[in-house]
């Protein structure tokens, strides 16, 4: 299974606490996982140093390969390339004084591994994954469990192998897709860019050549995928990252607006301890917790707000308030 290209997409897997999952899988397939784990482990230990010679001797590889492994950790795993420095006095690599990464990789990697370990259905993949982990991390992982109460009734995963192949071959794809369960299906000519597992459902983010814009496709609404003969076009990955990080939820747009909500009682206490978006603004007003987040669409925020019942209500924009009232009215009427 071609996993590497898939997970490059996810950077959840784009969400912060799963940021290392794609890197893990790339190396998991290539048998270098254990060295990467070991380098990270040594860097975050009390001594905090690792040498090329140690890595080369421990894994019976060349020092040149060991240097490539460290460079991979520096540029692909840690938040900043400057987080690793070479200590000429100790003749070893260590984390910089400014690096705030001692717990970063451990927490993120363990959560990512836990989700993968519980979600993967391939027994061989489980075994290979376990063998790639240092004993200390394997013991910790055994204490972490990941449960989800809901998953799509349709088997989203059946389309993954074709999308993996399209990533690997750098090909476009033709998707037969229903925008909603009751809409007519239509064919879309798409350059696949990212796969995101969001709230236990798979989404493909791609450039829709018919609409000439980025689109989000929920895999449970895909009826067919055909790998195209044409090469996928090059796209601005930085721009895509900016769009993905710009608003709440899975819906994409070059622009977003601020949605403001208020919460009472237990809902206020709960939401005040959560981060819905990195750019959120919040404050307490007369015992209520007011939360403002950027979003390109009201769909997910409306669903989230309704889940709190009478303990939550919208403040702005007016279109959001109107949509909320109409939805509550429909629910009360039993429609």
């Amino acid at each position: 299974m071609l996993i590497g290209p898939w997970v490059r997409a996810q950077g959840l897997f784009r969400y912060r606490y799963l940021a290392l999952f794609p890197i893990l899988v790339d190396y998991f397939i290539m048998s270098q996982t254990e060295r990467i784990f070991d380098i990270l482990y040594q860097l975050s230990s009390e001594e905090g140093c690792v040498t090329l010679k140690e890595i080369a001797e421990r894994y019976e590889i060349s020092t040149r390969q060991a240097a490539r492994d460290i460079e991979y950790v520096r540029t692909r795993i840690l938040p900043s390339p400057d987080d690793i420095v070479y200590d000429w006095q100790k003749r070893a690599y260590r984390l910089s004084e400014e690096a705030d990464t001692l717990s970063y990789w451990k927490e993120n990697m363990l959560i990512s591994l836990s989700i993968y370990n519980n979600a993967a259905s391939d027994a061989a993949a489980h075994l290979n994954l376990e063998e790639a982990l240092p004993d200390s991390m394997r013991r910790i992982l055994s204490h972490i469990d990941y449960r989800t109460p809901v998953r799509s009734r349709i088997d989203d995963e059946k389309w993954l192998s074709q999308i993996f192949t399209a990533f690997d071959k750098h090909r476009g794809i033709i998707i037969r897709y229903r925008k909603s369960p009751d809409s007519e299906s239509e064919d879309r000519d798409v350059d696949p860019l990212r796969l995101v597992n969001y709230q236990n459902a798979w989404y493909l983010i791609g450039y829709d050549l018919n609409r000439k814009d980025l689109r989000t496709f929920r895999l449970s609404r895909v009826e067919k995928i055909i790998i195209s003969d044409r090469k996928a076009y090059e796209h601005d990955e930085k721009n895509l990252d900016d769009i993905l990080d710009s608003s709440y939820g899975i819906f994409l747009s070059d622009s977003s607006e601020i949605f403001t909500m208020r919460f009472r009682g237990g809902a206020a206490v709960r939401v005040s301890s959560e981060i819905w978006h990195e750019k959120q603004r919040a404050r307490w007003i007369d015992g209520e917790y007011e939360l403002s987040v950027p979003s390109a669409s009201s769909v997910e925020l409306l669903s989230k707000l309704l889940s709190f019942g009478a303990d939550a209500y919208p403040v702005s924009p007016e279109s959001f308030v109107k949509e909320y009232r109409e939805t509550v009215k429909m629910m009360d009427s039993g429609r």
Side-chain angles (χ1 to χ4, degrees):
M1 181 178 289
L2 301 172
I3 302 180
W6 152 52
V7 289
R8 268 186 211 100
Q10 313 196 40
L12 225 232
F13 285 101
R14 69 182 178 89
Y15 295 90
R16 297 293 183 265
Y17 57 89
L18 294 176
L20 294 180
F21 184 81
I23 298 158
L24 157 72
V25 181
D26 269 340
Y27 270 80
F28 160 54
I29 309 173
M30 299 168 62
S31 79
Q32 291 174 309
T33 315
E34 189 172 1
R35 297 202 303 273
I36 299 304
F37 271 108
D38 195 14
I39 291 170
L40 288 165
Y41 188 83
Q42 296 302 326
L43 288 172
S44 59
S45 65
E46 289 186 12
E47 293 77 14
C49 291
V50 62
T51 69
L52 297 181
K53 183 178 179 182
E54 289 173 348
I55 299 170
E57 290 180 351
R58 185 175 299 137
Y59 294 100
E60 298 180 350
I61 60 173
S62 67
T63 54
R64 181 175 297 178
Q65 178 59 55
R68 285 196 291 266
D69 289 343
I70 288 180
E71 185 63 18
Y72 192 91
V73 171
R74 180 205 302 276
T75 59
R76 297 288 301 279
I77 294 184
L78 297 180
S80 168
D82 297 330
D83 285 340
I84 293 183
V85 296
Y86 187 76
D87 190 320
W88 289 97
Q89 185 175 2
K90 296 182 178 180
R91 297 184 180 276
Y93 291 90
R94 61 171 176 81
L95 292 176
S96 68
E97 298 296 333
E98 295 77 21
D100 183 23
T101 55
L102 290 179
S103 61
Y104 171 86
W105 74 270
K106 286 184 177 180
E107 178 184 353
N108 286 279
M109 190 68 82
L110 287 171
I111 294 173
S112 302
L113 282 170
S114 176
I115 291 177
Y116 177 77
N117 196 45
N118 283 273
S121 58
D122 187 342
H126 275 240
L127 182 61
N128 290 336
L129 178 61
E130 290 176 4
E131 290 178 347
L133 295 176
D135 288 340
S136 58
M137 291 196 70
R138 195 178 307 152
R139 286 193 296 272
I140 296 171
L141 183 60
S142 68
H143 293 285
I144 302 175
D145 201 0
Y146 173 80
R147 300 295 174 97
T148 177
V150 179
R151 65 169 296 146
S152 174
R153 181 175 296 175
I154 300 174
D155 185 13
D156 298 3
E157 289 84 354
K158 67 183 178 181
W159 305 118
L160 293 183
S161 62
Q162 288 164 286
I163 297 173
F164 298 162
T165 301
F167 280 134
D168 187 54
K169 303 295 184 183
H170 198 60
R171 298 285 183 181
I173 57 177
I174 306 297
I175 301 177
R176 183 159 297 163
Y177 186 72
R178 290 181 183 271
K179 190 172 181 179
S180 63
D182 56 351
S183 65
E184 294 291 327
S185 60
E186 54 184 345
D187 289 342
R188 307 282 192 92
D189 191 359
V190 175
D191 285 339
L193 299 175
R194 299 287 177 91
L195 264 171
V196 178
N197 190 293
Y198 179 65
Q199 296 184 354
N200 209 46
W202 284 106
Y203 295 84
L204 172 68
I205 297 172
Y207 186 84
D208 188 327
L209 273 68
N210 305 104
R211 273 69 177 174
K212 301 187 186 305
D213 200 2
L214 290 172
R215 287 291 188 270
T216 301
F217 303 94
R218 181 165 179 150
L219 293 196
S220 61
R221 294 181 187 157
V222 171
E223 296 181 350
K224 189 174 184 180
I225 291 181
I226 300 174
I227 299 175
S228 175
D229 290 334
R230 71 169 180 82
K231 287 283 188 180
Y233 295 102
E234 296 294 332
H235 297 276
D236 186 348
E237 294 290 318
K238 177 63 168 59
N239 180 56
L240 176 57
D241 287 335
D242 291 342
I243 293 174
L244 285 169
D245 291 336
S246 66
S247 65
Y248 177 89
I250 197 67
F251 292 96
L252 298 179
S253 175
D254 285 322
S255 61
S256 60
E257 59 182 324
I258 301 299
F259 289 76
T260 300
M261 302 147 283
R262 287 189 184 176
F263 303 85
R264 311 182 183 99
V269 175
R270 172 183 161 186
V271 175
S272 68
S273 66
E274 299 174 341
I275 297 177
W276 287 26
H277 193 269
E278 295 298 322
K279 296 180 180 179
Q280 71 181 38
R281 298 195 307 269
R283 59 178 179 168
W284 287 92
I285 301 179
D286 299 327
E288 295 184 344
Y289 186 72
E290 184 179 274
L291 178 68
S292 300
V293 298
S295 183
S297 168
S298 64
V299 175
E300 290 177 85
L301 286 173
L302 177 62
S303 176
K304 184 87 168 177
L305 201 62
L306 290 169
S307 70
F308 290 97
D311 286 337
Y313 63 95
V315 175
S316 65
E318 185 57 37
S319 58
F320 185 40
V321 176
K322 182 179 179 180
E323 185 179 14
Y324 173 84
R325 289 172 178 168
E326 290 176 349
T327 303
V328 171
K329 185 177 180 180
M330 288 176 60
M331 292 170 64
D332 288 341
S333 65
R335 290 174 58 188

